[in-house]
Amino acid sequence: MSVILIAVGLAATLSGCAAAALGWLPPWLSGYIAHPRAWGIGMVGIGLFTLARIPSLRERITDAGSVVAAVPFVVLVAGLAGLALSGGRPTR
């Protein structure tokens, strides 16, 4: 289970970093995403949330206190907002 979480989290985080920094999108999304940098920020948030679900990290986060335990969910909501803002077909 941890290997899958690491693979998905790293893939989402790396593709999000590439989109946020360079404006690069995977070829299958280039016609559907109007704002690639917002999509990248959203994917980074989703990827970091996924990595925070790894059992060993999740135990450390919950041991740090309730405020710190809420941070991954704030990152998730920010990532979902970035994905929502990136939608729509690009105008030509």
Side-chain angles (χ1 to χ4, degrees), residues 30 37 58 84 88:
S30 61
R37 296 192 193 279
R58 187 175 49 206

Side-chain angles (χ1 to χ4, degrees), residues 55-69:
S56 62
L57 288 177
R58 187 175 49 206
E59 290 172 8
R60 290 183 183 157
I61 290 171
T62 54
D63 287 344
S66 61
V67 174
V68 177

Side-chain angles (χ1 to χ4, degrees), residues 12-21 23-25 33 35-47 79 82-83 86:
T13 304
L14 292 176
S15 66
C17 287
W24 176 86
L25 287 172
I33 303 296
H35 306 286
R37 296 192 193 279
W39 182 85
I41 292 169
M43 286 305 291
V44 168
I46 299 297
L83 289 178
S86 70

